[in-house]
Amino acid sequence: MKDRFIVSGGAQLVGSVKVNGAKNSVLKLMAAALLAEGTTILRNCPEILDVPLMQKVLEGLGCEVTVAGSVVTITTPPELSPDADFDAVRQFRASVCVLGPLTARCGRAVVALPGGDAIGSRPLDMHQSGLEKLGATTRISHGAVVAEAASLRGAHISLDFPSVGATENILTAAVLASGQTVLNNAAREPEIVDLCNMLNEMGAQISGAGTSVITIDGVAALHPTEHEVIGDRIVAGTWAYAAAMTCGDVTVGGIAPRNLHLPLEKLRVAGASVETYDNGFRVRMDHRPQAVDYQTLPFPGFPTDLQPMAIGIAAVSEGTSVITENIFESRFRFVDEMLRLGADANVDGHHVVLRGMPRLSSTDVWASDIRAGAGLVLAALCADGETTVHDVHHIDRGYPKFVEILQNLGADIRRVTS
């Protein structure tokens, strides 16, 4: 069975929405539960397809996992299987985050090379190099990454690039290593801070989260905890850009505005009114957006996951915008689908030049990844008729109740199964 979305353009989005926990955090927190024997409870979890996939991964390693709405309960046994070389692992990229915890707990990890979104190469070399500096040996064998270590010891590690995934795997291995680990050029994303906060609640000793230098003093063991997942800044940013693109008025709750400072500032430059609160923000746009340039960078820069939304608003803005992609080389596959919608876009290397137009033209388009799918729906809301968005299973992996939320905001959208 394949689902598709039918979207009719022209509606202004008006209303309020509360975002759930972050996809880019909850999956890593679920993996971190492997580090402590006993029952860990995660609250404010998003109801997305990737959570049951991670459930299957953890269950394959020996855990008992229940998912009840926004609450995930994980019971980790005294002995874990170190072998995560099975189909569920290959279905999504975040599954690689079990590599660090398994190496720390079992002294061995076999993790199938992960799949996920088609947005470009994301090698594991920094993951492997970081674990090797902690005393492990690693190799790629028969389609899996294998790490082995009789014991782990603290080390000074410098990343060539502030990789989120490598930072996470090094953190979750170093918390049980002997001695001190100093991680330089660490990722600074809010989801990294969320992971460090949960690990500290479990008894880890981590300082510097949210900065480029994180210090981890290893401990002998961790204990389970209860933790609330931070709000999803990418989902919140999607609704913010949807409001601006449709000349709407949307209030978004459940998110710290500081985690979206630059994307919201870009909307102000485009002409939107943006009000921020302690746990949310409001975006209003009463005229056609003005052209703004974007370039994706690691946090606190503009997030690559919101690049399709930047292209979407540029396509309907007044003037010419240049969007530069610095993170994933294949993310401009999205532009091919925007061309189907009539966007005036030209790709030149890792830049795309867009000359905005008042309205796009409806047609059939195909989602290639989670964020591209959401971006296509936003663009379809600005088209002159009925657009069909195919392969929407990608969107379901990252956006809970996507269609229902848009309908509540006034969009003309429906899901069709065939």
Side-chain angles (χ1 to χ4, degrees):
M1 304 294 288
K2 286 193 172 182
D3 285 9
R4 62 189 186 276
F5 295 161
I6 311 297
V7 186
S8 294
Q12 290 179 298
L13 299 190
V14 177
S16 61
V17 58
K18 182 179 185 298
V19 298
N20 293 105
K23 168 191 178 292
N24 291 336
S25 189
V26 67
L27 305 176
K28 323 305 174 61
L29 301 178
M30 291 175 70
L34 294 169
L35 289 164
E37 178 186 346
T39 299
T40 293
I41 299 174
L42 300 176
R43 304 191 184 278
N44 194 38
C45 299
E47 297 178 48
I48 55 175
L49 288 181
D50 276 9
V51 168
L53 281 176
M54 182 58 83
Q55 175 183 6
K56 290 182 180 179
V57 172
L58 298 186
E59 288 173 343
L61 299 172
C63 297
E64 293 181 7
V65 184
T66 60
V67 178
S70 63
V71 179
V72 175
T73 303
I74 303 162
T75 301
T76 303
E79 300 292 332
L80 288 166
S81 167
D83 192 343
D85 185 11
F86 43 87
D87 286 342
V89 181
R90 296 184 179 90
Q91 292 183 49
F92 65 121
R93 176 71 186 184
S95 60
V96 76
C97 63
V98 302
L99 180 62
L102 287 178
T103 304
R105 274 291 307 275
C106 306
R108 174 180 167 82
V110 181
V111 182
L113 294 176
D117 293 332
I119 56 176
S121 174
R122 295 190 279 185
L124 299 181
D125 53 346
M126 283 188 284
H127 302 243
Q128 293 178 255
S129 175
L131 292 178
E132 288 169 0
K133 286 184 170 65
L134 293 172
T137 61
T138 72
R139 66 184 186 277
I140 303 294
S141 178
H142 302 290
V145 57
V146 181
E148 297 174 303
S151 62
L152 296 175
R153 59 185 181 279
H156 278 69
I157 302 171
S158 295
L159 297 178
D160 295 334
F161 176 85
S163 160
V164 172
T167 298
E168 290 162 343
N169 267 324
I170 293 168
L171 275 170
T172 51
V175 288
L176 294 182
S178 61
Q180 186 178 84
T181 297
V182 178
L183 180 57
N184 292 291
N185 201 24
R188 300 166 59 188
E189 274 72 4
E191 296 78 17
I192 294 291
V193 177
D194 198 26
L195 174 62
C196 290
N197 287 342
M198 176 173 157
L199 290 171
N200 282 339
E201 292 163 11
M202 297 169 71
Q205 296 183 15
I206 303 170
S207 60
T211 75
S212 59
V213 181
I214 299 177
T215 302
I216 309 106
D217 290 300
V219 296
L222 298 179
H223 54 76
T225 189
E226 291 193 24
H227 181 81
E228 182 165 323
V229 185
I230 61 167
D232 196 316
R233 62 193 172 101
I234 305 302
V235 172
T238 299
W239 303 136
Y241 276 72
M245 289 173 65
T246 63
C247 292
D249 182 350
V250 176
T251 299
V252 181
I255 182 71
R258 65 179 179 276
N259 294 340
L260 273 173
H261 174 75
L262 186 55
L264 293 178
E265 187 59 34
K266 289 288 188 180
L267 289 180
R268 288 191 178 98
V269 176
S273 168
V274 180
E275 302 172 37
T276 59
Y277 316 111
D278 288 343
N279 195 39
F281 58 84
R282 179 184 182 186
V283 174
R284 289 176 290 168
M285 180 73 86
D286 58 10
H287 55 80
R288 186 178 170 194
Q290 299 297 305
V292 177
D293 293 339
Y294 297 83
Q295 61 172 326
T296 65
L297 289 167
F299 189 85
F302 192 87
T304 183
D305 279 353
L306 286 179
Q307 182 244 79
M309 293 63 181
I311 290 176
I313 195 171
V316 296
S317 291
E318 187 171 352
T320 299
S321 303
V322 178
I323 286 84
T324 302
E325 175 56 53
N326 293 308
I327 310 297
F328 294 125
E329 72 278 4
S330 296
R331 202 142 213 175
F332 281 158
R333 291 179 59 181
F334 170 74
V335 177
D336 292 337
E337 301 306 305
M338 289 296 294
L339 293 174
R340 293 178 187 272
L341 287 165
D344 185 349
N346 290 287
V347 176
D348 180 11
H350 64 123
H351 309 281
V352 58
V353 180
L354 289 114
R355 296 167 184 84
M357 52 208 322
R359 187 157 294 279
L360 300 172
S361 57
S362 55
T363 187
D364 283 34
V365 290
W366 282 260
S368 59
D369 65 74
I370 298 170
R371 311 307 174 185
L376 288 172
V377 172
L378 267 54
L381 292 170
C382 302
D384 59 6
E386 191 173 87
T387 294
T388 301
V389 181
H390 299 270
D391 294 339
V392 299
H393 61 278
H394 291 294
I395 301 173
D396 293 334
R397 289 184 46 227
Y399 289 86
K401 297 181 173 60
F402 186 75
V403 169
E404 293 84 349
I405 289 171
L406 281 172
Q407 289 173 339
N408 289 338
L409 293 174
D412 187 346
I413 179 174
R414 68 186 188 274
R415 180 189 293 266
V416 176
T417 301
S418 62

